[in-house]
Amino acid sequence: MSIPFLDLRAGYLELKSEIDVAVARVLDSGYYIMGPELEAFEADFAAFTETTHCIGVANGLDALSLALRAMGVGAGDEVIVPSNTYIATWLAVSQCGATPVPVEPLALTHNMDPARIKAAISARTKVILPVHLYGQPADLAPILEIAHSHGLRVLEDAAQAHGARYHGRRIGGHGDAVAWSFYPGKNLGAMGDGGAVTTNDAELAERIQVLRNYGSRVKYVNEVQGVNSRLDPLQAAVLRVKLRYLDAWNGRRAELAGYYQSMLANAGLVLPTITSGAESAWHLFVVRSPNRDALQQSLQQQGIGSLIHYPIPPHLQEAYSDFVLPEGGLPLAEKLASEALSLPIGPHMSTDSVAVVSAAIRAFQS
């Protein structure tokens, strides 16, 4: 029995008739850049995330970097980031000419530890950038309190948290802005790259709109040095269809996560911990094992897919070889990189498959 880490085609097949109609509508419209389809998705996603503004951009990295630029982040500034995250979080800061300042995670959630943030703040700090890792919201209340008391902005990286809630409210507008990715493997995934920024700040939204379109509001009139980063109408049409099913698909992910928690109890692994007040989107189901590599190899030999999120922390990547922290400098991030393993999970996975994966793991652990 082959169990893929995630079956992307299954999502298309379920919604094929609706997606095909939506794509045909765009092709027939004559609007292939910007236009009504993008505007409709932006309105839909703003409503879904309980915010007033959504700006569609080309990908999640651009969502982060454009939001930072709109917040005035530039050369000489510092942005507080998690030590344990996908490198895009750091790259967005670097693309603005600023310096990422890493903060270690909480061992239970793998998210940024709010208690460590104050020590990382300097006179150059402009923004705190928490990531809602694996779909579980970071602990935003203390982060926002620290930011407000120090006059800092908060930009949330919600690339993995579509539909997640923090204390009953959708992720989307707790901080100053939230950056999203619609990479195909996300809970709300396009048929290619895509991204967006949501915010309740009208001025910030306007600046991002200008930056994404060559720095222009009026054709051939360029106010600032912007970029070309616009969510494609074809992708917007696909996302509008999938958005209608996101809550149901997330519910299925939560159900599967519950099965994993039950079937892997007392199996010698560190299982995910969901904190009080957080409702995870269950983008990933991440376990920890000191024998992670051998476990992954065993699963692979049985046709079971898994991934490591993430095998090399940003500060040890060659891209940051000039970073001041050597190996051992961020021990919690490095420990997670050596132990974390993401098991298969997705809205089209069966409970039988969860049972097979769990049995394989228990057999390996015995």
Side-chain angles (χ1 to χ4, degrees):
M1 183 178 183
S2 177
I3 300 175
F5 177 73
L6 178 64
D7 185 354
L8 289 178
R9 188 167 179 264
Y12 168 64
L13 293 177
E14 179 186 342
L15 306 179
K16 184 178 188 305
S17 59
E18 294 179 64
I19 290 174
D20 288 355
V21 167
V23 169
R25 181 176 66 243
V26 175
L27 295 176
D28 191 54
S29 72
Y31 285 94
Y32 307 130
I33 298 290
M34 308 285 274
E37 197 71 45
L38 174 57
E39 292 169 3
F41 170 71
E42 289 173 333
D44 289 349
F45 196 63
F48 178 84
T49 56
E50 303 172 13
T51 54
T52 54
H53 303 281
C54 172
I55 308 96
V57 297
N59 53 68
L61 176 55
D62 284 358
L64 288 165
S65 61
L66 291 176
L68 288 170
R69 285 186 61 186
M71 291 176 177
V73 174
D77 294 329
E78 293 179 350
V79 175
I80 294 175
V81 297
S83 62
N84 176 51
T85 183
Y86 183 54
I87 197 171
T89 313
W90 286 42
L91 290 175
V93 177
S94 299
Q95 285 183 357
C96 295
T99 300
V101 178
V103 165
E104 287 273 71
L106 290 160
L108 286 178
T109 66
H110 302 191
N111 277 329
M112 180 188 284
D113 184 351
R116 297 173 181 263
I117 292 176
K118 286 185 180 179
I121 295 174
S122 77
R124 298 167 58 191
T125 306
K126 273 278 188 78
V127 174
I128 303 174
L129 207 173
V131 177
H132 304 306
L133 202 62
Y134 314 148
Q136 176 171 193
D139 193 2
L140 288 171
I143 294 174
L144 291 169
E145 182 179 351
I146 293 167
H148 293 159
S149 66
H150 288 79
L152 305 175
R153 296 269 210 167
V154 174
L155 170 61
E156 304 164 51
D157 182 339
Q160 301 180 1
H162 311 77
R165 287 181 170 89
Y166 181 75
H167 291 288
R169 180 180 165 197
R170 298 262 198 198
I171 293 298
H174 289 84
D176 295 281
V178 181
W180 303 87
S181 168
F182 302 125
Y183 182 79
K186 305 300 185 185
N187 290 39
L188 181 62
M191 299 298 191
D193 268 323
V197 179
T198 55
T199 181
N200 290 314
D201 185 327
E203 292 184 7
L204 193 62
E206 188 175 18
R207 286 197 290 272
I208 296 169
Q209 287 172 335
V210 171
L211 285 168
R212 74 168 175 182
N213 188 40
Y214 295 98
S216 174
R217 302 170 207 258
V218 179
K219 196 172 181 67
Y220 303 129
V221 179
N222 303 87
E223 304 168 24
V224 295
Q225 296 180 13
V227 298
N228 175 17
S229 181
R230 302 166 297 202
L231 180 62
D232 191 286
L234 284 169
Q235 303 300 347
V238 171
L239 291 168
R240 287 184 70 196
V241 172
K242 289 188 172 184
L243 183 60
R244 297 195 289 269
Y245 296 87
L246 180 57
D247 279 336
W249 283 3
N250 282 350
R252 179 60 177 165
R253 287 175 178 269
E255 182 182 354
L256 296 175
Y259 282 122
Y260 268 133
Q261 295 277 21
S262 175
M263 295 178 183
L264 293 176
N266 303 313
L269 300 174
V270 178
L271 300 178
T273 297
I274 304 302
T275 56
S276 176
E279 183 178 326
S280 179
W282 289 109
H283 175 62
L284 299 173
F285 190 90
V286 179
V287 300
R288 286 171 54 193
S289 169
N291 301 314
R292 189 269 313 280
D293 293 342
L295 173 58
Q296 184 180 40
Q297 184 177 14
S298 175
L299 294 176
Q300 183 179 359
Q301 290 170 349
Q302 298 174 71
I304 299 171
S306 64
L307 289 176
I308 299 172
H309 295 90
Y310 298 96
I312 306 174
H315 73 285
L316 297 182
Q317 295 280 3
E318 186 177 354
Y320 285 96
S321 58
D322 59 346
F323 207 67
V324 295
L325 288 172
E327 186 171 355
L330 294 168
L332 288 176
E334 292 172 32
K335 183 175 179 62
L336 294 178
S338 70
E339 294 185 352
L341 183 66
S342 300
L343 303 181
I345 192 169
H348 300 92
M349 185 179 180
S350 69
T351 53
D352 287 344
S353 293
V354 172
V356 170
V357 175
S358 300
I361 292 173
R362 296 190 76 93
F364 174 84
Q365 296 288 91
S366 64

